[in-house]
């Protein structure tokens, strides 16, 4: 019986150590990348571009001020185009490598969402889970509007489900919410789409892809993108847009090589 208990205990400890090792292995490891390769290309859009949402600013709060937005048309109507396409090329698609566990260092930068003229900039970007030991300056939200109350509400979105991450009022110009700590709640395989909205003006929206390594790019106005300093290997690479969808390809990167590929996204 003693030997049986010892064997069971040993198995449990081995399983726990293995699970811990797998968890550690899942974390991204920064290293020096010598002679790294790159992935370049374009994101194409197939089909008809959806029409803009014609927002009637008269029905919301601070109508007179919000109408100062440069896109506002006669009668206080503001078109909001969520899918930007030019010459068949899709802007603001996030291209990311899914299956890379070590490589170049993360960029030391702060993502700042500006609430400006009843709009949010940038409209699409990327954010990451807060690293251990980091308490501030990863993601901030700033109110740029004089005497206007904004209320940024951040969510993790999974299909029709939304999980609140933060909800912080910004009473006037210069008010800043550092939401870095709130992003510690991100979990791999559960969180991929971040959505930001103003509770005072719900037409104010922005989106971000949650990334787990620094290998990503955002397609420019002409649909092009580049991801650099990639260790040689075979990777799953995804092009994602919050209002179009995503598509994944397997791409091989060689030492110092340049892999060129195009992604095609279409509304379902």
């Amino acid at each position: 019986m003693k030997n049986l208990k010892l064997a069971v205990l040993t198995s449990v400890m081995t399983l726990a150590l293995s699970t811990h090792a797998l968890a550690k292995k899942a974390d991204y490891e920064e290293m020096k990348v010598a002679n790294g390769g790159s992935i370049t290309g374009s994101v194409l859009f197939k089909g008809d571009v959806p029409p803009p949402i014609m927002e009637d600013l008269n029905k919301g709060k601070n109508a007179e001020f919000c109408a100062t937005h440069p896109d506002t048309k006669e009668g206080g109507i503001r078109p909001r185009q969520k899918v930007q396409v030019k010459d068949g090329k899709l802007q603001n698609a996030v291209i990311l490598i899914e299956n890379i566990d070590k490589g170049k260092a993360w960029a030391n930068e702060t993502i700042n969402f500006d609430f400006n003229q009843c709009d949010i900039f940038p409209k699409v970007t990327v954010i990451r889970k807060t690293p251990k030991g980091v308490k501030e300056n990863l993601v901030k939200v700033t109110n740029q509007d004089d005497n206007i109350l904004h209320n940024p509400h951040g969510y993790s979105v999974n299909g029709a489900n939304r999980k609140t991450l933060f909800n912080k009022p910004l009473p006037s110009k210069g008010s800043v919410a550092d939401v870095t700590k709130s992003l510690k709640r991100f979990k791999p395989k559960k969180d991929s789409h971040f959505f930001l909205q103003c509770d005072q003006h719900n037409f104010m929206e922005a989106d971000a892809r949650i990334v787990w390594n620094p290998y990503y790019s955002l397609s420019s106005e002409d649909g092009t993108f580049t991801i650099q300093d990639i260790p040689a290997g075979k990777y799953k690479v995804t092009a994602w847009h919050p209002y179009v969808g995503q598509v994944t390809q397997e791409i091989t990167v060689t030492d110092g090589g340049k892999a060129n590929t195009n992604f095609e996204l279409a509304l379902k």
Side-chain angles (χ1 to χ4, degrees):
M1 182 63 76
K2 240 182 189 181
N3 289 339
L4 180 60
K5 286 183 177 179
L6 182 61
V8 171
L9 180 61
T10 302
S11 297
V12 171
M13 290 179 66
T14 302
L15 179 61
L17 287 170
S18 299
T19 303
H20 179 69
L22 285 172
K24 291 287 284 182
K25 191 175 180 181
D27 292 340
Y28 179 78
E29 177 186 347
E30 294 183 358
M31 69 173 194
K32 185 176 180 180
V33 178
N35 200 30
S38 65
I39 300 173
T40 63
S42 297
V43 182
L44 314 178
F45 180 83
K46 183 180 180 180
D48 297 326
V49 180
I53 298 169
M54 305 305 287
E55 199 72 53
D56 186 353
L57 301 179
N58 300 297
K59 295 181 179 180
K61 296 180 179 180
N62 310 115
E64 186 176 345
F65 174 79
C66 291
T68 63
H69 189 286
D71 291 346
T72 305
K73 307 299 182 183
E74 187 177 351
I77 305 298
R78 178 186 148 204
R80 292 195 295 123
Q81 185 66 59
K82 290 190 172 186
V83 180
Q84 301 278 352
V85 178
K86 182 178 180 181
D87 298 327
K89 306 292 179 63
L90 181 62
Q91 182 180 356
N92 284 337
V94 178
I95 302 88
L96 63 147
I97 297 180
E98 302 269 14
N99 59 331
I100 186 167
D101 55 13
K102 59 183 177 180
K104 67 180 179 180
W106 287 92
N108 184 20
E109 62 180 350
T110 300
I111 301 297
N112 189 79
F113 290 97
D114 274 325
F115 281 44
N116 193 353
Q117 286 186 290
C118 294
D119 203 353
I120 304 177
F121 304 95
K123 305 303 293 179
V124 180
T125 186
V126 299
I127 60 174
R128 61 182 290 207
K129 179 175 180 176
T130 306
K132 289 181 181 178
V134 175
K135 297 181 179 179
E136 57 185 6
N137 296 327
L138 186 68
V139 177
K140 292 182 176 181
V141 185
T142 303
N143 185 352
Q144 303 287 1
D145 291 335
D146 274 322
N147 302 313
I148 300 295
L149 169 65
H150 289 306
N151 199 146
H153 195 158
Y155 304 88
S156 172
V157 178
N158 187 357
N161 298 318
R162 290 184 180 185
K163 175 177 69 179
T164 291
L165 299 166
F166 60 84
N167 191 343
K168 296 180 178 290
L170 300 178
S172 59
K173 185 174 181 177
S175 302
V176 179
D178 190 322
V179 299
T180 299
K181 291 182 181 179
S182 302
L183 308 186
K184 289 181 178 291
R185 299 172 59 192
F186 289 152
K187 294 181 180 179
K189 297 184 180 179
K190 286 189 176 182
D191 297 296
S192 61
H193 180 185
F194 170 79
F195 177 67
L196 180 62
Q197 187 175 40
C198 177
D199 280 351
Q200 297 294 312
H201 315 87
N202 59 16
F203 53 84
M204 294 175 59
E205 299 176 346
D207 298 86
R209 177 69 185 227
I210 301 165
V211 294
W212 302 91
N213 64 70
Y215 287 99
Y216 56 81
S217 180
L218 205 66
S219 64
S220 60
E221 186 177 356
D222 63 359
T224 59
F225 69 90
T226 300
I227 304 175
Q228 297 178 316
D229 299 322
I230 309 168
K234 187 177 289 186
Y235 300 106
K236 288 182 179 179
V237 184
T238 294
W240 171 90
H241 188 280
Y243 300 102
V244 181
Q246 68 178 42
V247 64
T248 300
Q249 295 182 27
E250 191 169 79
I251 298 174
T252 298
V253 177
T254 59
D255 282 331
K258 185 176 180 180
N260 189 276
T261 189
N262 291 331
F263 293 88
E264 185 176 84
L265 290 176
L267 286 171
K268 294 181 180 179

